[in-house]
Amino acid sequence: MRPLILALALALAVPPLALAAPATAAGPGSGSAHGPRDLRDLARKHRISIGSAVDVAALRAEPDYRTVLNREFDHVTAENAMKWESVEPERGVHTWDDADEVVRNARRHGQRVRGHTLVWHNQLPGWLTRGVADGTIDAAELRTILREHITTQVRRYKGKIRAWDVVNEALEEDGTLRQSIWLTHLGPGYIADAFRWAHRADPHAKLYLNDYNVEWNAPKIEGTLTLVKELQAQKVPIDGMGFQGHLGIQYGYPGDWANVMRRFADLGLEIAITEMDVRMVLPVTPEKLATQAEYYGRALSDCLSVKACREFTVWGFTDRHSWVPGWFDGEGAACLFDENLAPKPAYETLLATRRVSGR
Ligand code: XIL
C-alpha cells in the first residue's frame, strides 16, 4: 500500500475519543515531589529541548493529541508538512497552510521549531522527479530550482525556526555519498550549496546534516565525519549533526552512541537526536515495553552526557500516529504514549532520567 493511502487508512482506524482509555495511575504529574512533572519540566531542568514530530491532521482534529503535545514538548518538527512535496505540489504553487499551522501552534505554546527538511531524495514533488527523469529539467535548471526552494522556504520562516535539517540522509550505508537525484545531477557540491543558500536566507538558524544509522554504523560514521570536515574546510556554514535515532528493540541498543556524538561535538557541532523512536515486533508484551523504556532512557542519558547535545526529539509521541506500522511490517508500538495517550513505561523512564556525568 502506498504510504499516503496507508496513513489515511490508519487515520480512519483511530478509535473514537469516547473510547479513550481510563487514566492510568502512573500518569503525568505522578512524579515525586522533586521529580519533574512532565517532559517540559524535565527539559527545563536539564537545559535541553525535548521535542516531537507533529502530525498536522491530528493537531487540527484531535483535541487530546493537541493537549498532550503542548503540555509535554518544548520543541516540534513537522512530520511531513515542510517536505518539498507538501509545500510545492505543483511547480510554482506553494501550499504553506500545514507548515504554517505547525509554526503557529508552536509559537502560541512557546515551542521551538526544527525545520524538516530542505534537501532529501524522498517525498519530492512529482513534477520535479518527472521533469528530471524525462529530461525537461536539466542539471542547470535543477540547481536553480533547488536554490529557489531553499531560499523561499527558509525565508518564509526566518527567525521562527531554531534549526533546519538542511540535507537529510546524504550518505549510503557504506559511507559514500548517496546516489540521489541531487548527487547524480548536481555532483557533490550540492551539499555545500544547500548550506550556503540556507544560511543566506536565515543567518541565525542552526543548520544541520541529519541521518539514520549514524548511531552505530561504522562506515557511515566515518563517511559523515569526513563530509563534515570537508565542509568545514570549505567554510560551509554547518552547525549541527542530527541523529535520527530510529531504533528497534530486536536490534539491540547502539552502545557507543554517546562517543559517536562526542566525535561530532569535537568538530564544533551541536548535536540533536531528531527522530527518536523504538519499535518492536508485535505483539506488545510487558518485557518488550521494559526494553523499549530502557532504550529511550539510555538515549536521553547519552544526549545528556554530551555537552553539545541540546535537543531530544521523538518521531511522534503516540502510537495512535506513528509512521512505524506503515513502514515496518509487523512492527509498531514505538512511541512514548499508547493509542489512548496513556503514558508507557518509556515515558516514566525518561522522567526519571538523570544526568550521569557533568556537562
Ligand atoms: C516519515 C513520516 O513519518 C511518514 O509519515 C512519511 O510517510 C514518510 O516519512 N526519516 C525522516 C523522516 O527523515 O522524514 C521520515 O518521516 C522517517 C525517516
Side-chain angles (χ1 to χ4, degrees):
M1 209 178 328
R2 295 193 48 224
L4 217 65
I5 299 171
L6 189 58
L8 208 66
L10 283 174
L12 293 173
V14 165
L17 295 179
L19 293 181
T24 54
S30 65
S32 74
H34 305 294
R37 268 192 322 277
D38 51 35
L39 296 178
R40 277 184 99 125
D41 196 24
L42 179 75
R44 218 171 3 251
K45 288 194 162 122
H46 288 316
R47 291 192 303 278
I48 62 164
S49 289
I50 298 186
S52 175
V54 179
D55 175 326
V56 192
L59 179 70
R60 286 209 171 96
E62 298 170 21
D64 58 344
Y65 178 96
R66 214 161 37 231
T67 300
V68 176
L69 174 75
N70 295 329
R71 182 187 68 217
E72 298 289 336
F73 299 98
D74 67 4
H75 213 287
V76 291
T77 307
E79 182 173 0
N80 289 301
M82 290 192 186
K83 291 172 181 174
W84 201 337
E85 70 171 8
S86 304
V87 300
E88 198 182 0
E90 279 174 62
R91 188 163 181 184
V93 180
H94 288 97
T95 45
W96 300 110
D97 282 6
D98 287 354
D100 285 357
E101 179 58 26
V102 173
V103 174
R104 195 180 313 120
N105 181 75
R107 290 172 75 75
R108 208 179 288 143
H109 294 93
Q111 295 158 329
R112 281 182 268 229
V113 183
R114 167 170 291 271
H116 177 82
T117 175
L118 298 169
V119 191
W120 194 24
H121 59 282
N122 277 336
Q123 292 181 277
L124 290 168
W127 59 263
L128 188 145
T129 48
R130 274 194 306 273
V132 171
D134 68 19
T136 52
I137 296 175
D138 67 13
E141 192 179 0
L142 184 63
R143 189 164 181 272
T144 305
I145 289 172
L146 181 62
R147 187 181 62 225
E148 272 169 18
H149 166 64
I150 292 176
T151 306
T152 306
Q153 188 158 1
V154 176
R155 248 194 219 146
R156 180 177 185 85
Y157 297 109
K158 184 172 179 207
K160 299 181 175 172
I161 301 270
R162 184 188 79 79
W164 271 105
D165 292 332
V166 177
V167 183
N168 196 29
E169 302 179 354
L171 275 82
E172 307 275 5
E173 294 309 288
D174 67 3
T176 61
L177 289 183
R178 181 186 289 275
Q179 294 296 326
S180 66
I181 185 173
W182 306 114
L183 183 71
T184 311
H185 296 274
L186 306 184
Y190 84 87
I191 299 178
D193 285 342
F195 277 90
R196 290 191 171 117
W197 292 329
H199 182 67
R200 218 166 287 158
D202 186 353
H204 296 299
K206 299 288 184 193
L207 304 182
Y208 274 65
L209 200 60
N210 190 50
D211 215 327
Y212 61 92
N213 278 349
V214 189
E215 298 84 23
W216 55 0
N217 176 358
K220 206 164 180 176
I221 293 167
E222 301 309 324
T224 308
L225 285 164
T226 302
L227 171 60
V228 170
K229 287 181 208 158
E230 282 168 8
L231 293 172
Q232 290 178 328
Q234 298 164 51
K235 304 222 172 327
V236 173
I238 175 171
D239 302 295
M241 179 64 206
F243 294 81
Q244 291 187 3
H246 293 294
L247 307 184
I249 60 168
Q250 67 274 33
Y251 304 117
Y253 183 80
D256 205 37
W257 195 0
N259 284 325
V260 178
M261 290 186 208
R262 239 168 257 126
R263 291 184 66 191
F264 284 90
D266 287 346
L267 296 179
L269 297 188
E270 66 169 60
I271 306 296
I273 296 179
T274 54
E275 306 184 13
M276 183 82 204
D277 53 13
V278 183
R279 59 189 190 269
M280 60 185 68
V281 175
L282 299 172
V284 175
T285 65
E287 292 73 27
K288 290 180 193 171
L289 290 177
T291 306
Q292 174 183 62
E294 182 205 324
Y295 286 21
Y296 268 105
R298 287 178 75 176
L300 177 59
S301 141
D302 281 345
C303 171
L304 292 176
S305 75
V306 179
K307 192 158 186 269
C309 186
R310 51 156 311 168
E311 178 194 334
F312 178 90
T313 286
V314 295
W315 205 241
F317 61 89
T318 165
D319 293 336
R320 188 194 291 173
H321 299 290
S322 160
W323 74 306
V324 169
W327 286 85
F328 304 92
D329 227 13
E331 298 181 50
C335 301
L336 298 174
F337 293 81
D338 71 12
E339 293 86 349
N340 298 311
L341 299 178
K344 293 160 68 182
Y347 174 86
E348 305 298 339
T349 300
L350 286 188
L351 281 195
T353 301
R354 303 282 172 266
R355 197 185 297 283
V356 279
S357 57
R359 39 186 249 153

